[in-house]
Amino acid sequence: MKNRFSGQLLSLSYKFSFTLIFFFLSLALMAQDYPTTVAKDGEGIYSLLKRHGLSPSEHFNAFIELNKNKLGKNNSLYVGQSYRLPKKEQTTQPVSSGGAIYPIFGKAYEQVKPIDNALQGAIYYLISGHGGPDPGAVGRYGNHTLCEDEYAYDVTLRLARRLIEHGALVYMITRDENDGIRDASFLKPDKDETCYPKLAIPRNQLKRLRQRKDAVNKLYMKHRGSFQRLIITHVDSRSKGQDIDVFFYHDKRSKTGKKLAKNLQYTLKKKYDTHQPNRGYHGTVSSRNLYVMKYSYPPTAYIELGNINHYRDQQRFIKSNNRQALANWLAEGLLLDFKNNK
């Protein structure tokens, strides 16, 4: 009995040892399924992926999923930490073949399906004007109040979504986590917008502009060497009798910024000629000494979408289809700019 019992213990021991060996071998094989790399000083996910010949727009979410327990605040990397790399044939569609989820766009628009990779490798920083304690220009439409920050933000959100559909990496600098894209004509004003990543927006104008400039420049340095552009959207305020076309500013020292603005203007003129051939389009491009444009690192286009006090211009804002058309046309202008500058 004693020997038989000892034999049974020995058999169980062998089985347990074999199970452990098999388990650790499996872990090792799983680890070998993905190549690894070590993060360098000052490197972010985008630059790390690019260093290994991986498209950030295709592999960004896959990288986060593979390394979610090794990332710092805002998905930052730790210097010297080893990270697993997605396979080149692995595309970043974490939801399904239907696309990726971006909650900032709201429930109705959060699932973004790719159209193509025409903007693969491009990075855009989008700032919609004012926000937080400052509503910007205020207009009236009947009994309704129209606030610049709400309409500029909705157009900018729609633009961001469109750029992502074309494979771009997009940062919303002015953010409202609960508004999302809204199809209502009259957008309810609030004061809960933040500055990327989640900073309270100061009431003081200079502090507010400096905060946005700092957010953009920090991200720019993280992605240095990449194709990067800054787009700022506003709604102008003029007398009720003055209607204006969408027009553009650039920093006078930036030839690339001027070219960016010209590409946007050219695209909008072409769209107006197609859809409203008898109307004419008179949107201009000019330089202006504006703080964020002057001190931000990326080439910048500053866009005025119209006059919030003029009835015809108001139609450009209060109809959601018009806001979407604006976003689509601006995205086409950015596609042209990317193509012309590759």
Side-chain angles (χ1 to χ4, degrees):
M1 286 290 293
K2 184 178 178 181
N3 290 338
R4 206 161 118 199
F5 185 66
S6 297
Q8 288 175 341
L9 281 176
L10 190 60
S11 176
L12 287 170
S13 176
Y14 279 134
K15 287 180 180 178
F16 182 71
S17 298
F18 178 79
T19 302
L20 281 177
I21 291 169
F22 180 79
F23 174 74
F24 286 114
L25 279 173
S26 298
L27 286 179
L29 287 171
M30 285 173 65
Q32 291 173 8
D33 284 345
Y34 294 92
T36 60
T37 188
V38 174
K40 296 181 178 180
D41 187 23
E43 197 167 43
I45 295 176
Y46 186 96
S47 51
L48 182 144
L49 289 172
K50 191 174 179 182
R51 174 160 61 91
H52 289 277
L54 296 168
S55 164
S57 61
E58 292 183 9
H59 297 93
F60 188 86
N61 288 333
F63 180 90
I64 290 175
E65 185 63 28
L66 286 171
N67 300 285
K68 54 188 175 184
N69 296 324
K70 297 181 179 180
L71 301 173
K73 187 178 180 181
N74 298 321
N75 295 320
S76 59
L77 302 181
Y78 294 107
V79 179
Q81 172 70 56
S82 177
Y83 293 97
R84 298 168 79 187
L85 292 169
K87 296 177 181 178
K88 285 198 174 183
E89 64 273 14
Q90 184 178 359
T91 57
T92 179
Q93 294 183 351
V95 176
S96 68
S97 59
I101 293 292
Y102 296 85
I104 196 168
F105 297 135
K107 285 294 181 184
Y109 291 94
E110 66 179 5
Q111 188 164 350
V112 182
K113 298 180 181 180
I115 295 173
D116 54 39
N117 284 320
L119 289 174
Q120 182 176 316
I123 303 173
Y124 294 96
Y125 308 106
L126 306 185
I127 298 177
S128 59
H130 306 279
D134 178 15
V138 176
R140 298 292 299 177
Y141 188 93
N143 295 324
H144 299 280
T145 300
L146 310 179
C147 292
E148 174 184 3
D149 64 330
E150 302 298 336
Y151 288 92
Y153 183 69
D154 193 73
V155 172
T156 305
L157 267 188
R158 293 170 186 271
L159 172 60
R161 191 174 187 275
R162 196 68 169 176
L163 295 175
I164 292 170
E165 287 177 331
H166 287 295
L169 177 60
V170 179
Y171 289 94
M172 288 291 296
I173 303 302
T174 311
R175 307 172 63 83
D176 190 318
E177 303 298 337
N178 53 37
D179 272 355
I181 292 173
R182 294 173 283 177
D183 288 330
S185 293
F186 305 108
L187 304 182
K188 184 179 178 181
D190 58 31
K191 297 183 178 182
D192 61 349
E193 293 86 6
T194 60
C195 178
Y196 180 91
K198 286 186 179 182
L199 303 175
I201 295 176
R203 183 176 296 276
N204 177 272
Q205 183 187 26
L206 182 57
K207 289 181 179 178
R208 182 168 65 245
L209 298 178
R210 185 180 293 125
Q211 180 187 64
R212 294 173 183 186
K213 176 265 297 181
D214 289 345
V216 170
N217 288 349
K218 184 176 180 181
L219 289 165
Y220 180 90
M221 293 306 295
K222 177 180 177 182
H223 299 299
R224 58 188 180 276
S226 304
F227 180 96
Q228 304 184 61
R229 296 290 185 268
L230 169 59
I231 306 298
I232 304 170
T233 51
H234 279 260
V235 179
D236 208 354
S237 176
R238 303 192 182 189
S239 70
K240 290 184 179 181
Q242 186 176 9
D243 62 326
I244 57 176
D245 283 323
V246 179
F247 64 93
F248 308 89
Y249 294 128
H250 63 88
D251 184 77
K252 64 181 180 181
R253 302 165 301 171
S254 176
K255 292 182 180 179
T256 308
K258 182 177 181 179
K259 186 176 180 181
L260 167 62
K262 286 282 189 181
N263 283 323
L264 289 167
Q265 179 205 37
Y266 171 82
T267 303
L268 261 72
K269 184 180 186 309
K270 188 171 67 171
K271 290 296 181 182
Y272 271 101
D273 288 345
T274 300
H275 296 283
Q276 298 184 46
N278 298 320
R279 177 188 182 279
Y281 171 76
H282 306 286
T284 59
V285 171
S286 59
S287 63
R288 192 171 174 188
N289 189 32
L290 297 173
Y291 182 90
V292 177
M293 280 203 305
K294 183 176 182 179
Y295 295 107
S296 293
Y297 296 151
T300 305
Y302 184 110
I303 307 170
E304 290 283 8
L305 298 172
N307 180 9
I308 203 166
N309 290 309
H310 190 274
Y311 175 80
R312 192 167 73 176
D313 282 11
Q314 287 171 340
Q315 308 308 305
R316 204 178 297 162
F317 312 130
I318 66 174
K319 295 181 180 180
S320 63
N321 287 343
N322 288 344
R323 297 198 296 271
Q324 187 61 55
L326 270 176
N328 292 347
W329 295 357
L330 291 172
E332 286 194 37
L334 294 175
L335 280 160
L336 177 65
D337 178 71
F338 183 64
K339 181 180 178 181
N340 288 346
N341 283 281
K342 285 180 73 173

